[in-house]
Structure formats: structure tokens, C-alpha cells
Amino acid sequence: MSMKRMRRIFERQTEREASYEPLEGGSERPDGEHIEGSETDFSWTTYSVFLLLGVAMLWAWNMFLAANPYFQRRFAPNDNLLRNFQSAIMSVSTVGNLGSMVVLTKLQARANYPRRIAASLVLNILVFTLLALSTKLFLGVAAGVYFAFLMMMVLSASLAAGLCQNGVFAYVAGFGREEYTQGIMMGQGIAGVLPCIAQIVSVLSVPRRKEHVDHGTPQQSSTSAFAYFLTATVISAAALVAFFYLQRQHSSRIHLDEVDSAPTERKSVPLTRLFEKLTWLASAVFLTFVVTMFFPVFTQKILSVRDPTSAPRLFQPATFIPLGFLFWNAGDLLGRMGPALPALRLTAYPKVLFLLSVARAAFIPLYLLCNVSGKGAAVSSDFFYLVIVQLLFGLTNGYLGSSCMMGFVEWVDPDEAEPAGGFMSLCLVGGLTVGSFMSFFAAQAI
């Protein structure tokens, strides 16, 4: 979609979004700063910064997924850790993320959302710098010691994710434009696509004679893992610089003396009141991500229906598994772009979004028709798996997730927009947490 096309789409929303025009005399942003009328004018610079924040928000999680082959190599001496480290990463990450989101959502009254965003990015920079260094230093430590270190890094990254999600979704609500929220969601989609491409390229770039396969996954070198982790550091640093730039621009526009002035005391909005107003949207985003968390379990185990001894390298397990992730994430990215089109927006119909989120559960049995663990497929077609199952499943996730996160501001009062943003992100993370535990039990059954 061209920039001119995107600009025309967003400009047509100006009249439709009259309800988001600032109140007479202005209103307040999430950090308590005054908003003038010009704050609601759409800005591509602001959109780009929120898109980059969306990339940084999920890049860390995707780097842990991309580095799984490297972790297999580090835990190879310990069979117990080798079997369970993936589940441990998922459990620690989701529990830490949810716990931080619950606490942060309740701390509304004097919340400084910009500070939370900055703190999350700094923490991510520290975590992934340490992980990058760990691929080059202390390589002789026992697998158990490295496991403890990795869990500390995962927990820290999950706390950073909680700070970022709570801060960004609350902060963007104060700008009064749904397009910026769509930018965050699209950035998250980009963060899912790029690591998959990098993993496929890294495997295909290695001559066949040097490629090793263990349970369908390539054994990744320390250099590749170093590059993955260092990239996450660079992305977080770039997002931090861009966010500070955005802060300075808006502070200058409204003639503030200090960017980090103390936040004003604001009324705390009970979560029960937010749930009453956002019942259908909150439930929809929760269920959407509960169902979504089943896809990593199946994607790690589904292989091509082609004969592995004669199939092209793209259909070998080492590349076919990340290819499955790529199709899902590509669909997710396309879905997140959908709500930018006025004809495809369903934010005014929250019950419809809820029903669609329930209907997505129909994708789960479709996975069982594919070649799970190489045991044979009821539908012997890679096209069926990659396009009908993965691409469409990802597309529905991106579309419903973006629609719910964009639409909540239409259903709350202006002074409730900021805490509502934190509440919706809490529901999203809650869905990821519940879905991760349900998928863990599903993984034992397949």
C-alpha cells in the first residue's frame, strides 16, 4: 500500500472521528500535559514513532523464538533442560508480563506513562546486550547455570514488555487518533515477520554439508545468536531515541518548560467500570490471543508433506518450520493493516468482533489435518497448511487484535481513555498467558 494511498485513507477519517476532537480549551495527554487543538492533526512522523515502538514491543519476544536453535545447543548436555526450556521461557515470560500488567494497570492515579515507556526500552537494551555478550563469553558454564541466567533475562524482558505495553497503549490514547494505535499494531506485525525471514536466510546461506538438524530445527551458531540479540538492542535503542524526539516535539509545540515534569494527580478508574463499558471488546481481544497461542505449538511440529530425502531445502525441517512462522506472521501483518481501510473497520460493532474471536477456534482442529511430527497428513498439501491454515489464522489475529485495540476509545469517556488503554493491554496479555498454559497441555497430547 503506497504512502499516498495510506494518507488518503487516514484523511478521510477526520470527519468520522469528530468525537475525538479536543474539548474546548484543550484536554490532557497521558502524562498530564495540556493538549492544544493541533495535537489531533495526523502526523506521519508521530505515526512512524508509534510504529517503531510497536516493533520494539514484540521484537524481544521474537528474538527468543528465533534463538531457540542456539538455546538447544547450549542445553544439549542436559536432556531435562533441553526438553523443557521452551516451555519455561513461555511460562516465565507470560507470567512476568501479566503480573507486571496487573500492578501497572492498578497504579493509574499518578502514572507517568512516558517514563514507563523509556524505562522499558532501557531495560530491553540492558537485557539483550547481556544476552549478546553471553554468546561470546563464559561459554564453558554448566547448562544449569546458563538456564538460570536465561530465565533472569526472560523475566526482565517480560517486565520490560509489561511496562512498554501499558505505557504505549495508554500514552497513544491521549493523542485522540485511532491511526496511531493501528501503527503500533502494525509495528508488532513487522516484528514477527522480519525474524522469520532472517532465520530462513541464515539457514539457506549455510552449505548443506554444514547443516545439522535436531528435532527439525537447525543448530544455530554463536555468531547468529549474537546478531539476533544485538539487533534487539539496536531496535530498542532506536525506539528510545525516536520516542525522546516525539516527546520533545510535542513539548515544544505546547510550550512546556520541562518534558519530565511531575504528572498530575488524576482520578483512578475502577477496572470494573472499564469492563462494563468494554465488555465485548475486552472479551474479544482476550479470546483472540487465547486461541492464537496454540499456533506456536503446532508450527514447531508440523513438517512438509514432501519426502524429506528429496525435497528442496526450503521444505526441509530446518527451513520449513520458520517458513510456517513466516506465513502466519505475514498474515498477521496484513490483518493489522486491514482496519486502516474504512470499509473494513468493525470498531462500531463490538459484538461482531467478539463472535469472530470465538469463531477463530475453528482453526485449531485444522492443524490436526496437517503433517504433525511427520506422522502423515489428512490433507496432504503444504499449500493447505501454509495458506489456508497459517496465513488465514494469522490474518484473523492481526485484524481482530488491531480492531479491538483501535476501537476501545469510542466506548469510554475522554478522561477514561488512558486507563482504558492500559486495561485493554492487560486483557491482551491475559489472553496470551491463559493461551500459553492451555497450549502447553495441548502440546503434551499431540
Side-chain angles (χ1 to χ4, degrees):
M1 184 179 295
S2 67
M3 294 292 286
K4 289 183 179 180
R5 171 67 173 164
M6 290 285 286
R7 187 177 291 110
R8 287 198 299 270
I9 290 171
F10 288 156
E11 287 174 350
R12 285 199 294 267
Q13 296 306 305
T14 302
E15 295 182 0
R16 176 180 179 272
E17 295 168 350
S19 59
Y20 303 132
E21 293 298 322
L23 299 176
E24 184 177 352
S27 57
E28 288 186 345
R29 293 197 296 143
D31 53 0
E33 296 173 349
H34 188 70
I35 299 177
E36 300 295 339
S38 59
E39 283 287 293
T40 58
D41 296 336
F42 178 78
S43 166
W44 278 104
T45 299
T46 303
Y47 179 88
S48 300
V49 173
F50 280 118
L51 185 144
L52 184 56
L53 287 171
V55 172
M57 194 182 297
L58 284 193
W59 194 269
W61 171 250
N62 283 289
M63 285 301 96
F64 281 120
L65 290 179
N68 263 345
Y70 172 74
F71 295 145
Q72 283 190 339
R73 178 180 172 185
R74 292 298 296 261
F75 297 130
N78 189 313
D79 290 338
N80 186 46
L81 292 179
L82 183 62
R83 287 194 304 269
N84 296 299
F85 80 89
Q86 290 175 322
S87 299
I89 288 176
M90 183 176 294
S91 299
V92 171
S93 179
T94 53
V95 170
N97 198 352
L98 179 62
S100 64
M101 288 293 294
V102 170
V103 173
L104 292 170
T105 303
K106 286 185 170 295
L107 298 177
Q108 302 172 19
R110 296 187 57 82
N112 189 319
Y113 295 113
R115 188 171 297 170
R116 290 180 180 183
I117 296 170
S120 71
L121 295 172
V122 170
L123 184 55
N124 260 346
I125 291 171
L126 177 62
V127 166
F128 284 95
T129 298
L130 291 175
L131 283 168
L133 292 175
S134 74
T135 65
K136 300 298 182 181
L137 304 175
F138 308 111
L139 298 179
V141 300
V145 174
Y146 185 76
F147 178 79
F149 166 77
L150 180 60
M151 291 302 104
M152 289 177 60
M153 296 299 99
V154 170
L155 179 60
S156 299
S158 69
L159 296 178
L163 281 167
C164 193
Q165 288 167 328
N166 176 268
V168 170
F169 282 116
Y171 183 68
V172 73
F175 283 75
R177 298 201 67 99
E178 292 179 342
E179 299 93 335
Y180 296 152
T181 304
Q182 190 269 341
I184 296 171
M185 300 301 289
M186 191 161 77
Q188 292 180 338
I190 293 173
V193 169
L194 294 184
C196 297
I197 296 175
Q199 189 172 3
I200 293 172
V201 171
S202 68
V203 173
L204 293 179
S205 64
V206 178
R208 183 182 292 269
R209 61 187 176 83
K210 294 183 180 180
E211 182 180 323
H212 301 283
V213 175
D214 182 21
H215 302 293
T217 321
Q219 291 296 303
Q220 201 173 70
S221 69
S222 296
T223 301
S224 297
F226 176 82
Y228 283 151
F229 295 140
L230 190 61
T231 301
T233 300
V234 172
I235 292 291
S236 296
L240 183 62
V241 172
F243 178 66
F244 283 152
Y245 172 79
L246 178 64
Q247 282 284 90
R248 284 197 301 269
Q249 288 294 102
H250 285 277
S251 296
S252 175
R253 181 178 300 175
I254 57 183
H255 308 293
L256 291 176
D257 294 327
E258 293 183 356
V259 175
D260 292 324
S261 58
T264 58
E265 184 80 28
R266 59 175 74 85
K267 185 178 180 180
S268 180
V269 182
L271 298 185
T272 52
R273 184 195 304 173
L274 293 174
F275 183 72
E276 288 175 1
K277 294 188 174 184
L278 300 171
T279 301
W280 298 109
L281 287 178
S283 300
V285 76
F286 176 83
L287 288 176
T288 293
F289 286 94
V290 167
V291 175
T292 289
M293 287 306 289
F294 282 84
F295 103 89
V297 173
F298 287 101
T299 305
Q300 290 279 7
K301 295 189 176 184
I302 292 179
L303 306 178
S304 171
V305 297
R306 303 190 182 200
D307 184 354
T309 60
S310 59
R313 292 192 70 190
L314 188 62
F315 293 90
Q316 296 288 340
T319 45
F320 189 76
I321 291 174
L323 183 65
F325 279 107
L326 176 60
F327 269 80
W328 192 94
N329 282 292
D332 180 56
L333 178 58
L334 290 174
R336 291 169 188 260
M337 296 171 63
L341 300 171
L344 296 180
R345 286 196 181 181
L346 291 177
T347 54
Y349 307 99
K351 291 183 180 180
V352 173
L353 292 173
F354 173 76
L355 292 176
L356 290 176
S357 69
V358 174
R360 288 184 74 240
F363 278 97
I364 297 177
L366 294 182
Y367 279 109
L368 300 177
L369 303 178
C370 303
N371 189 20
V372 181
S373 300
K375 298 177 181 179
V379 179
S380 185
S381 169
D382 289 332
F383 176 85
F384 172 79
Y385 165 62
L386 293 174
V387 177
I388 305 301
V389 180
Q390 290 288 73
L391 186 71
L392 294 183
F393 194 29
L395 189 146
T396 56
N397 177 78
Y399 177 77
L400 291 174
S402 290
S403 296
C404 293
M405 297 305 294
M406 289 174 64
F408 72 86
V409 291
E410 300 179 16
W411 300 93
V412 296
D413 296 333
D415 62 342
E416 297 173 335
E418 304 151 18
F423 172 70
M424 287 295 291
S425 59
L426 173 63
C427 293
L428 189 157
V429 173
L432 291 174
T433 304
V434 173
S436 67
F437 282 105
M438 292 179 65
S439 64
F440 174 78
F441 291 111
Q444 311 306 311
I446 60 176

